[in-house]
């Protein structure tokens, strides 16, 4: 399964690779395009599809999930910025040590997606401010911390492609540029571009709360379908990366 994902990722990202290498003299644009390529990396595909499913569903049911998408993106920015700072402070030794942990961090994503899907189906309910989803009920609370942690954890889902993009391709530019400290955050924003495009399309087409306005019961069905999709993505992800 991983080889199929890799072939698909390579095919889709090849044009962006060509654009990126043509922009090496423009570090900010270079970092942004590399981030977009990272969004298409095998280890990021299921996470990005899951984010689109989660926040797209929320936008259709209630309102455009700008706040959730914002904190999700902030989580990505913090994750990649911390990695950049670690490399800058500790040098290449930290890169070698991190490679020992990334495979395990990547394996966590599949079970995490399954848990989120179960929340969306309403089988697990938590009270108070950490409430993520309320089963068949309308979303009553936005959860910035949950969105932040999803963005943060998804960003740590590294694979060889992502490792090369960030550590081998981007970090030398970061270390050689006078304003290299802003490049990891720009890279993070690039990885969030597919999600931002989908949410912008929903907003532009006036899809905010469309399902809830037309039918609450239909909105519940869509939420459950989204939950099932999250679980299936989680199972697929777990099978793919736990078998490596």
């Amino acid at each position: 399964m991983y080889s199929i994902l890799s072939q698909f990722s390579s095919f889709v990202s090849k044009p962006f690779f060509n654009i990126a290498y043509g922009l090496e003299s423009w570090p900010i644009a270079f970092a942004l395009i590399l981030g977009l390529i990272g969004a298409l990396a095998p280890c990021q595909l299921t996470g990005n599809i899951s984010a689109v499913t989660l926040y797209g569903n929320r936008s259709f049911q209630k309102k455009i999930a700008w706040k959730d998408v914002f904190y999700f993106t902030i989580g990505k920015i913090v994750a990649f910025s911390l990695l950049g700072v670690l490399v800058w402070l500790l040098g290449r030794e930290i890169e070698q040590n991190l490679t020992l942990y990334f495979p395990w961090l990547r394996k966590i994503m599949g079970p995490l997606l399954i848990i989120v899907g179960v929340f969306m189906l309403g089988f697990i309910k938590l009270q108070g401010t950490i409430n993520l989803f309320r089963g068949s009920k309308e979303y009553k609370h936005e959860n910035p911390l949950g969105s932040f942690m999803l963005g943060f954890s998804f960003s740590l889902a590294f694979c060889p492609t992502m490792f090369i993009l960030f550590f081998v391709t981007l970090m030398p530019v970061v270390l050689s540029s006078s304003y290299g400290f802003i490049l990891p955050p720009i890279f993070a924003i690039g990885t969030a571009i597919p999600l931002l495009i989908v949410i912008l399309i929903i907003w532009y087409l006036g899809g905010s709360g469309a399902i809830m306005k037309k039918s609450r019961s239909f909105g519940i069905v869509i939420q459950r379908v989204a939950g099932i999709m999250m679980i299936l993505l989680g199972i697929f992800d777990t099978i793919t990366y736990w078998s490596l």
Side-chain angles (χ1 to χ4, degrees):
M1 288 186 180
Y2 183 81
S3 62
I4 295 175
L5 283 176
S6 297
Q7 292 172 10
F8 174 78
S9 172
S10 177
F11 174 77
V12 174
S13 61
K14 187 174 181 180
F16 297 105
F17 263 118
N18 296 333
I19 294 173
Y21 286 119
L23 294 172
E24 283 187 89
S25 58
W26 302 81
I28 292 179
F30 181 65
L32 186 67
I33 298 299
L34 280 184
L36 178 57
I37 296 171
L40 302 173
C43 51
Q44 293 286 316
L45 277 176
T46 49
N48 287 324
I49 293 172
S50 300
V52 169
T53 301
L54 176 61
Y55 298 123
N57 169 66
R58 184 172 298 183
S59 297
F60 275 124
Q61 287 216 45
K62 189 177 180 183
K63 62 180 180 179
I64 298 297
W66 291 123
K67 186 176 181 180
D68 297 295
V69 172
F70 172 77
Y71 281 104
F72 179 85
T73 305
I74 292 296
K76 282 180 164 290
I77 290 174
V78 170
F80 285 112
S81 297
L82 288 176
L83 289 175
V85 169
L86 283 175
V87 174
W88 183 75
L89 291 175
L90 304 177
R92 296 193 62 83
E93 291 184 4
I94 188 65
E95 295 183 35
Q96 298 173 357
N97 292 330
L98 284 174
T99 58
L100 301 175
Y101 299 101
F102 281 142
W104 292 102
L105 292 170
R106 183 61 190 79
K107 290 181 178 181
I108 294 174
M109 181 180 290
L112 177 63
L113 295 179
I114 294 173
I115 292 172
V116 173
V118 171
F119 268 106
M120 295 185 73
L121 290 176
F123 291 118
I124 299 178
K125 298 179 181 180
L126 297 176
Q127 303 297 327
T129 57
I130 60 174
N131 180 20
L132 294 179
F133 305 103
R134 294 293 298 176
S136 62
K137 297 181 180 179
E138 181 180 357
Y139 298 115
K140 293 183 178 180
H141 303 285
E142 293 178 338
N143 188 16
L145 179 60
S147 297
F148 175 88
M149 291 307 300
L150 281 178
F152 187 89
S153 60
F154 284 3
S155 299
L156 298 179
F158 269 70
C159 56
T161 302
M162 198 65 174
F163 184 87
I164 291 172
L165 286 172
F166 187 79
F167 289 106
V168 179
T169 308
L170 179 67
M171 285 310 299
V173 179
V174 171
L175 297 175
S176 63
S177 174
S178 59
Y179 50 91
F181 65 94
I182 70 170
L183 299 184
I186 296 296
F187 179 90
I189 293 172
T191 65
I193 285 178
L195 172 62
L196 295 172
I197 289 175
V198 171
I199 298 301
L200 280 170
I201 290 174
I202 294 174
W203 169 78
Y204 179 77
L205 296 178
S208 176
I211 292 175
M212 247 343 148
K213 291 174 184 176
K214 292 182 178 179
S215 171
R216 181 178 297 270
S217 60
F218 185 61
I220 294 171
V221 171
I222 295 299
Q223 178 179 322
R224 290 175 178 170
V225 170
I228 292 172
M229 287 182 62
M230 295 285 281
I231 292 174
L232 292 176
L233 284 169
I235 293 173
F236 173 80
D237 193 89
T238 301
I239 293 173
T240 299
Y241 290 95
W242 282 78
S243 62
L244 295 177

